[in-house]
Amino acid sequence: MHEHRAHGDTDLRLVGLTGNPLRLARPAVLAVGPLLRELIIAYTGEPPSPEPERDRLLAVLLDQLRRAPEQPLHLPTARDPRLAAVCAALHRDPADTSTLARLAARAGTSERTLARLCRAELGMSFPQWRTQLRLHHALLLLADGVPVTAVAHRCGWGSASAFIDVFRKAFGYTPGRAFTL
């Protein structure tokens, strides 16, 4: 199970694939470069291309998708009610800097239990998940045109430079370029 949402000014193009031609183990967000973008536009265009041309477009599109780097936007959700409560609180306020111990106490469990649940249910450590959540929230704010410094503070980074560093390491470009690419 997965879901996706569009945010901001979006031109959504969907390419339905049967089976698992990309051999992905889980849902993923892939980087779309200029060539892949144009292939998707051509493949999903109106009216549809004639069948032999469409088949060739799909073959090249799949080649490009297989080479596309995965973006670090995987944000799994918790099933356990204790961990789900902590995750929901941080979704409401990504800038919350509470320690795992404090969050565990609020959820009526131990820090160790929450850490174990994070690994088991989210597939990552709590600090990794919190960073993913903050990056996800940052992308939404940036899409709305919020200045980088304000985004940094609203997402819980101590400084704009710390935010820019984490963002650049995650995505390969700075947040100031996020919606100009």
Side-chain angles (χ1 to χ4, degrees):
M1 296 282 296
H2 71 282
E3 70 178 73
H4 53 269
R5 297 178 189 159
H7 186 82
D9 186 20
T10 305
D11 180 11
L12 185 62
R13 306 283 182 133
L14 300 175
V15 176
L17 303 173
T18 57
N20 186 5
L22 303 181
R23 298 179 282 288
L24 296 171
R26 61 177 170 81
V29 176
L30 303 176
V32 175
L35 175 59
L36 183 52
R37 178 183 182 277
E38 293 304 319
L39 285 165
I40 292 169
I41 290 169
Y43 187 77
T44 60
E46 291 289 331
S49 306
E51 202 62 34
E53 180 183 335
R54 189 169 170 79
D55 290 345
R56 289 190 305 273
L57 274 172
L58 180 59
V60 176
L61 194 148
L62 287 172
D63 286 343
Q64 291 298 306
L65 281 170
R66 286 184 191 106
R67 294 177 49 202
E70 184 176 345
Q71 295 293 286
L73 290 172
H74 181 63
L75 189 63
T77 51
R79 293 177 306 278
D80 182 278
R82 298 162 295 182
L83 181 57
V86 168
C87 292
L90 292 174
H91 270 285
R92 287 189 300 275
D93 182 14
D96 183 342
T97 58
S98 298
T99 63
L100 186 58
R102 175 178 259 162
L103 292 166
R106 284 189 218 152
T109 190
S110 71
E111 177 180 8
R112 187 173 177 179
T113 297
L114 269 190
R116 181 181 46 77
L117 286 169
C118 281
R119 283 276 181 211
E121 292 196 12
L122 305 177
M124 60 185 80
S125 70
F126 177 73
Q128 289 170 322
W129 184 87
R130 188 193 309 239
T131 299
Q132 288 297 99
L133 171 71
R134 287 176 172 176
L135 287 169
H136 184 266
H137 191 68
L139 287 171
L140 298 178
L141 293 172
L142 291 167
D144 285 340
V146 176
V148 171
T149 301
V151 170
H153 294 296
R154 287 162 94 181
C155 292
W157 275 278
S159 68
S161 60
F163 165 58
I164 292 167
D165 185 53
V166 170
F167 192 98
R168 184 178 40 246
K169 285 178 183 169
F171 298 110
Y173 52 87
T174 64
R177 290 194 53 217
F179 293 92
T180 61
L181 298 174

